[in-house]
Amino acid sequence: MKQKELDGYQEFVKGIWRENPVFVQVLGMCPMLAVTNSAMNAVVMGVATFFVLVASSFMISSLQHWIPRQVRISLYIVIIATFVTLADYTILATLPAAHKQLGAFIPLIVVNCMILGRQEAFASRFPVKYAVLDAVGMAGGFLFAMLALGSVREILGTGTLFDIPLFGKGFEPWVTMILPPGGFLTLGLILLFFNWVTKKRGEFLQQVATEREGL
Amino acid sequence: MDNLIWIFVSALLVNNFVLAYFLGLCPFLGVSGRLETSLRLGMATTFVMVITAICAWFLNTYVLIHAPYLRLISFIVVIASTVQFIEMAIKKLSPALFKALGIYLPLITTNCAILGLAIFATNRGYGFLEGLTFALGAGAGFTLALILMAGIREEIEKTKDVPDLVQGTAMNLIVAGILSMAFMGFAGLFSAG
Amino acid sequence: MSDNQTKEPGSATLILSMVLAGLISGVAIIGVFEATLPTITLNKAKELREAVFKVLPGVSKMQKLRFANGRLQVVEDNKVGEDVIYAGYDAEGKFIGYAVPSEGPGFQDTISLLYGYLPDQRKMVGMEILDSRETPGLGDKIFKDLEFVANFKDLSVDPTIVAVKKGKKAKPNEIDAITGATISSKAVVRIMNVARERWEKRLPPPGNEPELKL
Amino acid sequence: MSLLGSLFQRSFRHGVHPEGHKEATVDLPIQRVPFVQRYVMPMGQHIGVPAKAVVKVGQALRRGQMIAEAGGFMSTALHSPVTGKVVGIGPYRHQDGSFKPAIEIEADPYATQRIEPQPPKDWEAMTMPEFVAEVQQAGIVGMGGAAFPAHVKYSIPDTQHIDDVLVNGAECEPYLTNDHRLMMERPAALIRGTEILLRKLGAKRAIIGVEDNKPDAIEILRRHLGSRSNISVVTLPMKYPQGAEKMLIRAVYDREVPAGQLPRDLGILVNNVGTVVAIADWFDTGMPLIERVVTVSGPGAAYPANLIVPLGTPVREVLRFCGGLKDETREVVMGGPMMGAPTASLDVPVLKGTSGILAFTEAETRTGTEYPCIRCGRCLEACPYFLNPSRFARLARARLFDEMKGFHLMDCVECGSCTFACPSNIPIVQLIRTAKNNLRSRPNEK
Amino acid sequence: MKSNDPHLRLLPAPLLRQGMTTPSAMRDVILALLPAVIAGTWFFGLKALLVLAASIAGAMAVEWAFTPIEKRRNAIGDNSALLTGLLLGMTLPPALPLWMAFVGGMTAIGLGKVIWGGLGTNLFNPALLGRAFLLGTFPIAMTTWSAPGVGFFDLPSSLLALPFQSPVYDAVAAATPLGLMKFEQKGSDFLNLLIGNTGGSLGETSGLLLILGGLYLWWRRDLDWRIPVAIALAAVIFSSALYLADSAKYPGPLFTLFSGGFLLGAIYMATDPVTSPLTPRGAWIFGLGAGLLVVLIRVFGGFPEGMMYAILLMNAATPLIDRYTQPRVFGRGGETK
């Protein structure tokens, strides 16, 4: 396997924006929408995912030479499932209230395609250092997306952020936002916004380029 | 009996796996482009769900009661091997069915709706019949959401009316949101006395 | 898998690596499980005690009972189910009442709740929602609206509990439903009625309650 | 619906009800247009292979003399409409705006233009192939507008047999009254032509289908038929496109011609009244197809009229005869308003298939604002072929022509009912035409 | 003959058109609704009219803002946004805060139409989508109804709540006939249902006038009669069966037809051509499905009113219905597709 030139910073940064797993690659949707009805839930879920992704990337990257190709997917799943179970019990022990809210969705981190995808596409092929940077970037991007979505939904849906009231007593909450349709609609609109920004940015760059040529 | 009806209707409509629990979104957004494909994937998923529900019940009753911490790993292994086994069995028994379902079966392994089904069934302490009903309802609900979505997507992709900016995942999510909004109408179905 | 350049490892290697991985992960999981189990058990027990104490005022001790073989038995396992009930006692160990867990379909999803019941007075003295996914802002008033919860502080169960329109409560067996969340209110009442009926024949006559074992 | 329909009315399902606008010309007897100076006879006045010229520039012609012979089986002969001489053979402006080969004839101003009647032909003695050749020789085509060579319809393969002759007097296009007048003024010739076809084809009976907006024609025909039992007149409700062959069959016999098949597969032969009269003329008097009845009408025509026009007469001259166009005229259509084609120039000649010359003003030709399709389904209810024009329009806009083929695009006959019915002013027929042309022009496909 | 020919156009045939156009069809629907609007205003007073105006304003504002400048004249001129706003407004409680009605109008057009590509492209009824959004978002405000027959110029303080602020209700809320039936098993006087003197939204009260408007539309050939007929048929059969089984518990067929938004939905919303099936057979299926769903949701579901959800759900199924009910092409026997 040919190793391409790696730039640690680039591997780290790409996951946050350019290759953001949620906004750009549209991966890991299930937890994304199910638990982002409040910023707190989103953060807990995001951190759990962060832990699982980084830990399993580290593990798999370190073991990449010992893992037989034929059973690699099964091994990845076993490794990921182990870390998920660890996270599950840890949250249950330390944050019982949050665990009650997140319910069945913590075990479902196992089937988050983003995690398995990173193992297959990156961690199993590149040195540990880059694998971890990549995982941190991706998981960071995921966490960022979760937080963004969770905040929007919580602010509109209950008028609070991390349970802190923002608008005073008279605020009329937009209940839909914390219900399932709100999840779909908010993410859809955020993606729409993303498309718009990308388009405007492209237009702007184009304009700058033509202006330069004109000079 | 009342309870079984409620479990079925709840999984099918009120708490539709896709539209209310956000489970199985990857195939929902990925495969729903064509109606035919959706229908087949839906049926394959329902099939695997039923098998999984049965396996999960056995595991829960005889194994996990002694070692609850193995729940996740054992479920994952059961699902992966069930899918593998079904794939082989269908290939042997009914090549026609295999041709129709074949390429979707591996996709199902990573479908969180299946794992979700097993976990929900365990969390709620469903018995054998209840679990089976739940699986049937969830599978039918998944299929229903998938084919409704596919019908809509074929329509909008054919006519290309949707503005460029919205095309693609953004539109799919918004359509899913609208569907989910329409399904809210089923809330409380058969639960009000 | 089609990568032919790497040498095909024998199946022994494959099995060995799987077994090894399974072993390691098993050890890791059991480790964490053992480490967190006490806390988790403690948390759960604490939660349950708090709930029981809330629905049965004046209670300071409790024990778990299971209905099996035609009578109530004291048990100390972690299993739950329709046959489980909690008995509450005061500081001197005198029986006060039962805390009955129950669940059933609500507006959105299953509602599970716990209510306190005094068999000698045939009265409910408290209700606590343990888990629900009712609509925020509407259905979730079944535990957020204290006025509604207060309905259950002194409620006759005879002949059966009935939810009426808010402000129309007239008889001791009626509760004021929540405006705009009638379905959720009725669901709560129904769940309680079902549980009450189930336990009606199982409970021993007043005065013969199981004694507190310590 | 269909049950009621079949109980009370004989008609096809779907279709539209455009206003008739026939009152302007319906009571005007057919007049003969005087001969003019120049005539242009295009070689391709019919569907199929163009005719082949058999005259040379400068050659003198008698009226009725053959000037071009059939260029193949799917082709018919042409005859000179006047006595005069050939002044040119070459490309001339056609009504679709293109230039097509034609023969230009200058009339001899001193000739009498009279054709000596010839003795009736002994058609009963002819064999079927001889009869077919005669019809081809006479240059007779379907006069309803499509100009399909008539003899082709009469060459029935041995395996089939015609039981029914259906004479098409529906004339469902608005404004047109040429068939109506023909039935009124030449009922004997019509019945005679029907008789010839019946006998030659060995058919059992003939039905003349006429829409109920022509009660006078029906009455006259019935009177002339007298006690004949093998020919009858059937009254049909007004509806467009009743004059389309397959719709007429559906209306009269309640039978559907399967897609891809011809009426003769059901044992039915459909001919327009004009065609039948032309047959009678040829076999009784030896008069080939050199003139036809044309309705000049429309809001832009100064004096609407029903005219006998020698073929090849420029539209300008026809209009001049009946008072010209009003100043408000914005469009001139050759044929009916639903399926006819607009002409860009008034110099184009009247052809065998020209049933009308209609002048329209601002009011009819205003391009209404086109609104998006709201899927109201009116086009579906209009389409006599039960197609889905709304979907065709959408697919054509998205240029998904191949997909359209799957929905039987090629079954569409472009009758225009959908466009007529569309409240959003969508040019559905045009879009369908574009798609059809696109599909047809593709190489390596059948 | 004049020396030069008139300048001729080459518009392809057919040159004739039937008289109706899309804007005129929309205008007809608006006209047909007017009597019910006037009656509603009579019962509920000025406040109902203000709610209506706010929802129309929201709809028109979004339509205007998101239409490319060159198409604006057409988009506003085709009356469709006006109609959407009107229909939405007619389903809202008369004392709804105006800002909510405005948001509803915006959502209806934004989510229901603009995002799909404008008129004719959307698959869900925009007005109902706007209402579903409002009901999900502001459940309490959307289910607080006021009684008819208060002072004409009374403006409740809830109506004028500031944007994003919760309304404060100063009058005792009145239950709708459906609410009474659902939660208290109480019927309502049939005559009141017929003329509309009951609690409810502006447009869903006067059954008689809605039917008259529907007949006008039918006479103008602006509506597919099959859909309302099928909806009514299915609803009557289903509810009669239930009524016969237990008349104390379930409402009768007449109540089902005349209560709530049944008539408004069946005549004016389900028949929206854009979101209902194209084919006649499809229209029957659509209508029967919607009729069944209404009764199902009303009787067994959690909401007292099911018309909106029934239509939205059938809207979702419309592409599928259309696909499987293509008419048999002329001359193509049993062959479908």
Side-chain angles (χ1 to χ4, degrees):
Chain A
M1 212 168 299
K2 221 177 98 187
Q3 296 258 329
K4 64 174 178 189
E5 285 294 313
L6 292 177
D7 175 352
Y9 175 71
Q10 279 301 320
E11 296 308 327
F12 168 67
V13 161
K14 69 172 190 234
I16 305 285
W17 183 266
R18 196 160 35 83
E19 290 181 26
N20 187 296
V22 175
F23 296 147
V24 180
Q25 303 182 41
V26 204
L27 293 172
M29 293 301 235
C30 313
M32 187 67 214
L33 293 168
V35 301
T36 48
N37 49 10
S38 78
M40 192 60 204
N41 288 351
V43 167
V44 173
M45 192 69 178
V47 169
T49 311
F50 189 96
F51 162 74
V52 173
L53 178 54
V54 173
S56 47
S57 275
F58 171 77
M59 195 78 146
I60 285 164
S61 183
S62 331
L63 296 174
Q64 57 181 289
H65 301 297
W66 285 279
I67 296 178
R69 284 193 62 78
Q70 285 77 356
V71 290
R72 67 185 193 288
I73 300 286
S74 320
L75 277 178
Y76 297 163
I77 290 185
V78 169
I79 291 169
I80 297 167
T82 309
F83 284 117
V84 172
T85 312
L86 299 191
D88 193 11
Y89 279 111
T90 315
I91 295 173
L92 184 54
T94 51
L95 297 166
H99 192 272
K100 197 173 161 189
Q101 293 264 318
L102 297 176
F105 289 95
I106 297 174
L108 287 177
I109 297 176
V110 177
V111 281
N112 185 335
C113 3
M114 176 187 77
I115 297 180
L116 195 63
R118 282 340 281 172
Q119 310 313 331
E120 177 70 4
F122 204 94
S124 61
R125 308 186 173 182
F126 297 105
V128 180
K129 184 180 131 194
Y130 297 113
V132 169
L133 276 175
D134 170 77
V136 171
M138 282 293 160
F142 187 74
L143 183 58
F144 163 69
M146 296 280 283
L147 186 61
L149 200 55
S151 309
V152 170
R153 288 179 68 187
E154 187 180 343
I155 290 173
L156 277 176
T158 56
T160 60
L161 185 60
F162 291 106
D163 287 335
I164 303 160
L166 294 182
F167 300 111
K169 228 175 129 41
F171 180 77
E172 174 77 13
W174 294 41
V175 181
T176 312
M177 284 301 154
I178 47 177
L179 295 178
F184 284 117
L185 292 178
T186 314
L187 185 56
L189 293 177
I190 289 180
L191 284 181
L192 180 61
F193 177 71
F194 238 75
N195 289 351
W196 185 74
V197 168
T198 316
K199 189 180 156 216
K200 285 284 156 202
R201 194 161 158 258
E203 276 170 13
F204 177 74
L205 291 179
Q206 188 86 39
Q207 199 185 342
V208 170
T210 41
E211 268 170 20
R212 265 202 203 130
E213 244 161 57
L215 290 172
Chain B
M1 196 56 208
D2 268 4
N3 192 25
L4 289 186
I5 291 176
W6 187 75
I7 288 176
F8 183 79
V9 171
S10 165
L12 174 71
L13 301 172
V14 186
N15 292 305
N16 186 285
F17 261 39
V18 179
L19 299 174
Y21 283 165
F22 305 100
L23 292 173
L25 276 183
C26 297
F28 180 67
L29 295 173
V31 187
S32 63
R34 294 213 64 81
L35 188 61
E36 197 129 319
T37 334
S38 307
L39 191 62
R40 287 185 179 162
L41 177 74
M43 291 189 318
T45 308
T46 311
F47 188 56
V48 176
M49 275 182 169
V50 170
I51 307 267
T52 308
I54 296 170
C55 294
W57 181 78
F58 275 106
L59 273 177
N60 272 328
T61 323
Y62 299 109
V63 182
L64 297 182
I65 203 151
H66 307 295
Y69 42 84
L70 284 182
R71 192 177 73 164
L72 183 56
I73 288 201
S74 61
F75 281 171
I76 269 282
V77 170
V78 162
I79 291 168
S81 44
T82 311
V83 172
Q84 196 82 48
F85 175 75
I86 292 171
E87 201 177 343
M88 288 190 299
I90 295 182
K91 204 172 182 176
K92 265 245 164 70
L93 298 174
S94 163
L97 191 64
F98 180 75
K99 218 173 154 192
L101 297 182
I103 55 164
Y104 307 113
L105 284 168
L107 269 178
I108 295 170
T109 317
T110 50
N111 184 344
C112 41
I114 313 269
L115 183 62
L117 175 95
I119 290 173
F120 276 116
T122 319
N123 280 3
R124 294 177 187 173
Y126 281 161
F128 182 77
L129 259 184
E130 289 167 319
L132 206 60
T133 316
F134 185 53
L136 280 174
F142 179 75
T143 314
L144 179 68
L146 209 60
I147 61 171
L148 284 180
M149 186 74 181
I152 292 171
R153 276 183 64 181
E154 279 198 359
E155 188 72 25
I156 57 182
E157 272 159 32
K158 198 177 293 161
T159 50
K160 299 192 176 117
D161 289 321
V162 175
D164 291 344
L165 219 53
V166 203
Q167 280 285 5
T169 317
M171 189 64 199
N172 295 342
L173 282 168
I174 289 170
V175 172
I178 293 173
L179 272 181
S180 162
M181 214 138 82
F183 267 66
M184 272 171 66
F186 289 122
L189 206 58
F190 295 121
S191 68
Chain C
M1 302 241 179
S2 57
D3 198 357
N4 288 328
Q5 272 154 330
T6 46
K7 227 179 114 191
E8 287 280 317
S11 47
T13 329
L14 296 185
I15 292 172
L16 191 71
S17 59
M18 285 305 288
V19 168
L20 210 65
L23 227 64
I24 295 169
S25 82
V27 168
I29 289 173
I30 293 173
V32 169
F33 179 70
E34 291 297 332
T36 53
L37 188 60
T39 335
I40 293 171
T41 324
L42 212 67
N43 280 342
K44 277 193 175 157
K46 201 173 138 223
E47 204 182 331
L48 186 66
R49 285 173 77 85
E50 275 170 7
V52 170
F53 292 173
K54 219 174 192 173
V55 298
L56 284 173
V59 162
S60 59
K61 286 174 186 153
M62 60 173 273
Q63 67 181 3
K64 187 173 172 181
L65 307 171
R66 166 165 298 122
F67 183 77
N69 305 327
R71 61 192 194 89
L72 282 173
Q73 292 165 321
V74 180
V75 285
E76 275 187 28
D77 54 15
N78 278 325
K79 280 188 257 176
V80 288
E82 289 194 339
D83 303 329
V84 169
I85 197 173
Y86 304 94
Y89 307 84
D90 66 8
E92 282 95 52
K94 194 171 150 265
F95 175 81
I96 291 183
Y98 298 110
V100 185
S102 180
E103 60 179 38
F107 187 65
Q108 285 288 343
D109 212 333
T110 307
I111 299 175
S112 69
L113 53 80
L114 189 73
Y115 66 84
Y117 176 59
L118 306 183
D120 48 343
Q121 301 177 34
R122 299 189 65 77
K123 244 175 147 186
M124 294 207 177
V125 286
M127 187 275 299
E128 169 92 349
I129 302 289
L130 298 177
D131 196 13
S132 83
R133 269 187 71 231
E134 298 304 280
T135 321
L138 264 185
D140 67 353
K141 283 192 182 164
I142 53 173
F143 57 94
K144 285 199 175 150
D145 183 347
L146 297 180
E147 253 181 74
F148 177 74
V149 177
N151 268 315
F152 299 93
K153 290 230 164 98
D154 180 16
L155 183 65
S156 165
V157 299
D158 290 312
T160 177
I161 313 170
V162 179
V164 296
K165 205 172 171 224
K166 186 159 185 164
K168 295 261 175 74
K169 177 173 170 154
K171 294 179 200 147
N173 67 327
E174 287 179 345
I175 62 148
D176 280 332
I178 302 163
T179 313
T182 323
I183 299 285
S184 297
S185 321
K186 287 193 166 183
V188 168
V189 168
R190 194 168 73 143
I191 294 167
M192 294 171 84
N193 278 332
V194 166
R196 198 185 56 77
E197 213 163 278
R198 182 170 61 234
W199 286 100
E200 185 84 354
K201 287 174 202 134
R202 294 178 175 182
L203 293 179
N208 298 340
E209 281 85 7
E211 297 211 346
L212 183 63
K213 283 189 194 167
L214 271 177
Chain D
M1 267 303 271
S2 67
L3 193 71
L4 281 180
S6 56
L7 271 180
F8 297 121
Q9 307 180 309
R10 282 185 155 177
S11 189
F12 61 101
R13 291 175 63 200
H14 289 187
V16 290
H17 297 93
E19 288 241 10
H21 294 293
K22 303 204 184 213
E23 55 294 335
T25 52
V26 69
D27 293 325
L28 302 178
I30 302 174
Q31 284 172 281
R32 183 167 281 280
V33 175
F35 290 97
V36 296
Q37 234 181 344
R38 297 160 82 80
Y39 292 84
V40 175
M41 287 294 276
M43 307 303 238
Q45 298 195 18
H46 48 262
I47 290 178
V49 190
K52 275 195 309 219
V54 294
V55 292
K56 289 192 205 69
V57 177
Q59 186 178 339
L61 298 171
R62 259 179 312 102
R63 181 159 178 248
Q65 179 186 341
M66 186 189 286
I67 52 172
E69 61 179 14
F73 180 66
M74 273 293 280
S75 182
T76 68
L78 288 180
H79 303 81
S80 173
V82 286
T83 305
K85 69 167 193 244
V86 179
V87 293
I89 299 178
Y92 286 84
R93 172 82 74 179
H94 201 68
Q95 68 185 39
D96 64 7
S98 65
F99 283 85
K100 293 209 168 132
I103 299 172
E104 188 183 358
I105 300 163
E106 197 180 71
D108 176 355
Y110 306 109
T112 60
Q113 303 293 8
R114 199 173 118 83
I115 298 182
E116 289 304 323
Q118 293 173 10
K121 292 184 167 38
D122 186 9
W123 48 269
E124 276 180 279
M126 290 177 188
T127 61
M128 214 39 214
E130 281 169 355
F131 179 79
V132 168
E134 276 287 324
V135 175
Q136 188 176 24
Q137 190 80 1
I140 298 172
V141 299
M143 306 284 273
F148 185 82
H151 68 275
V152 179
K153 280 191 179 173
Y154 305 147
S155 25
I156 311 294
D158 289 341
T159 50
Q160 287 178 328
H161 186 258
I162 297 294
D163 299 316
D164 277 278
V165 171
L166 181 53
V167 180
N168 184 351
E171 197 165 57
C172 55
E173 280 259 16
Y175 290 104
L176 300 185
T177 53
N178 52 321
D179 285 352
H180 186 172
R181 290 311 305 181
L182 202 61
M183 287 186 278
M184 300 270 294
E185 297 179 27
R186 302 199 59 199
L190 178 62
I191 292 165
R192 173 78 176 150
T194 314
E195 190 79 48
I196 294 174
L197 289 175
L198 267 177
R199 300 270 283 278
K200 283 315 292 178
L201 294 164
K204 288 193 220 39
R205 57 170 182 164
I207 290 174
I208 305 172
V210 186
E211 282 192 351
D212 59 7
N213 58 347
K214 311 173 184 61
D216 43 356
I218 294 169
E219 216 226 89
I220 288 179
L221 285 174
R222 289 217 166 115
R223 190 142 28 95
H224 272 80
L225 282 171
S227 58
R228 262 172 219 273
S229 61
N230 59 342
I231 304 178
S232 57
V233 180
V234 164
T235 313
L236 304 165
M238 249 175 82
K239 205 167 175 188
Y240 179 86
Q242 192 124 247
E245 228 172 49
K246 293 184 175 181
M247 291 308 130
L248 193 66
I249 292 174
R250 171 69 174 74
V252 173
Y253 298 105
D254 199 16
R255 291 173 74 185
E256 281 186 13
V257 181
Q261 292 194 21
L262 296 170
R264 71 168 186 222
D265 295 318
L266 298 183
I268 300 170
L269 175 106
V270 185
N271 263 161
N272 184 264
V273 288
T275 317
V276 178
V277 170
I279 295 272
D281 283 349
W282 172 251
F283 286 100
D284 279 353
T285 65
M287 173 93 155
L289 186 61
I290 55 171
E291 55 190 27
R292 68 157 297 149
V293 185
V294 175
T295 299
V296 176
S297 186
Y303 297 100
N306 294 306
L307 307 170
I308 287 189
V309 184
L311 300 178
T313 312
V315 168
R316 182 188 308 282
E317 302 293 339
V318 180
L319 289 170
R320 191 210 302 263
F321 173 72
C322 53
L325 298 173
K326 291 184 191 162
D327 287 348
E328 309 84 276
T329 302
R330 289 290 173 272
E331 176 157 341
V332 173
V333 171
M334 310 280 279
M338 299 295 285
M339 286 187 79
T343 179
S345 156
L346 296 184
D347 293 322
V348 299
V350 168
L351 307 178
K352 287 178 178 175
T354 307
S355 48
I357 299 171
L358 305 178
F360 291 101
T361 61
E362 194 66 40
E364 294 80 34
T365 60
R366 197 185 305 119
T367 23
T369 316
E370 189 182 326
Y371 292 96
C373 172
I374 54 166
R375 297 161 45 87
C376 63
R378 268 156 219 259
C379 50
L380 269 94
E381 283 179 31
C383 181
Y385 279 85
F386 293 72
L387 299 168
N388 186 339
S390 154
R391 177 159 54 195
F392 281 150
R394 271 172 193 239
L395 290 174
R397 282 262 156 80
R399 302 193 67 77
L400 293 168
F401 300 131
D402 286 303
E403 187 141 348
M404 294 170 74
K405 218 157 94 187
F407 296 113
H408 307 303
L409 173 68
M410 293 305 179
D411 284 9
C412 170
V413 296
E414 300 170 24
C415 69
S417 300
C418 46
T419 316
F420 172 80
C422 181
S424 289
N425 280 318
I426 299 169
I428 307 175
V429 180
Q430 257 177 297
L431 289 164
I432 291 180
R433 254 178 234 146
T434 316
K436 278 176 151 183
N437 289 339
N438 186 296
L439 285 172
R440 280 201 199 106
S441 65
R442 292 204 191 152
N444 308 329
E445 271 183 17
K446 38 178 178 165
Chain E
M1 187 82 196
K2 287 168 19 145
S3 53
N4 48 350
D5 297 341
H7 183 73
L8 292 184
R9 288 176 186 157
L10 284 173
L11 289 172
L15 281 177
L16 304 182
R17 301 291 168 113
Q18 40 83 294
M20 196 195 83
T21 62
T22 299
S24 81
M26 303 269 179
R27 202 183 47 228
D28 280 348
V29 181
I30 294 170
L31 278 180
L33 285 170
L34 272 186
V37 170
I38 293 168
T41 314
W42 173 260
F43 288 127
F44 295 110
L46 190 62
K47 56 182 188 288
L49 218 51
L50 287 178
V51 168
L52 213 56
S55 100
I56 293 174
M60 302 277 270
V62 172
E63 177 91 359
W64 187 82
F66 281 95
T67 312
I69 292 153
E70 67 275 13
K71 288 192 194 150
R72 263 182 201 161
R73 261 182 68 107
N74 280 348
I76 296 294
D78 66 22
N79 294 334
S80 60
L82 179 64
L83 178 58
T84 299
L86 182 70
L87 281 174
L88 170 67
M90 290 183 72
T91 65
L92 300 177
L96 189 76
L98 292 180
W99 72 269
M100 288 185 189
F102 190 81
V103 167
M106 286 170 65
T107 326
I109 293 290
L111 205 60
K113 216 168 106 185
V114 168
I115 251 178
W116 298 80
L119 179 65
T121 56
N122 49 308
L123 295 176
F124 292 90
N125 186 313
L128 289 179
L129 214 52
R131 184 173 199 276
F133 181 80
L134 282 182
L135 182 61
T137 308
F138 309 115
I140 300 174
M142 284 292 289
T143 47
T144 307
W145 307 94
S146 38
V150 286
F152 188 80
F153 291 103
D154 281 357
L155 293 184
S157 59
S158 63
L159 189 77
L160 303 172
L162 290 174
F164 299 102
Q165 295 296 302
S166 300
V168 180
Y169 293 99
D170 40 17
V172 177
T176 62
L178 276 173
L180 286 173
M181 173 54 75
K182 177 110 202 142
F183 303 123
E184 291 165 42
Q185 268 87 46
K186 265 189 215 150
S188 301
D189 182 31
F190 181 68
L191 191 66
N192 277 343
L193 284 177
L194 200 63
I195 60 168
N197 191 16
T198 60
S201 70
L202 190 148
E204 66 183 36
T205 51
S206 178
L208 200 60
L209 292 175
L210 290 173
I211 292 181
L212 283 180
L215 288 175
Y216 168 73
L217 289 182
W218 174 72
W219 174 68
R220 297 273 299 168
R221 304 211 335 116
D222 284 328
L223 114 172
D224 189 346
W225 57 272
R226 297 174 189 91
I227 294 176
V229 169
I231 295 180
L233 198 71
V236 164
I237 293 175
F238 193 7
S239 60
S240 304
L242 289 173
Y243 187 69
L244 289 179
D246 185 353
S247 62
K249 204 167 162 195
Y250 301 117
L254 267 182
F255 179 82
T256 305
L257 287 189
F258 282 91
S259 56
F262 190 93
L263 291 169
L264 187 69
I267 300 176
Y268 300 91
M269 292 176 166
T271 51
D272 171 13
V274 184
T275 54
S276 60
L278 270 167
T279 61
R281 224 159 19 117
W284 281 109
I285 299 176
F286 180 90
L288 293 174
L292 285 179
L293 281 173
V294 176
V295 180
L296 183 78
I297 293 175
R298 279 189 182 179
V299 175
F300 298 106
F303 293 101
E305 173 57 306
M307 202 63 208
M308 169 182 81
Y309 288 116
I311 297 176
L312 283 177
L313 288 164
M314 289 319 287
N315 284 163
T318 295
L320 297 180
I321 295 176
D322 256 344
R323 215 182 142 100
Y324 291 108
T325 57
Q326 280 310 309
R328 180 192 61 84
V329 173
F330 185 90
R332 287 184 188 274
E335 194 184 341
T336 47
K337 185 171 174 171

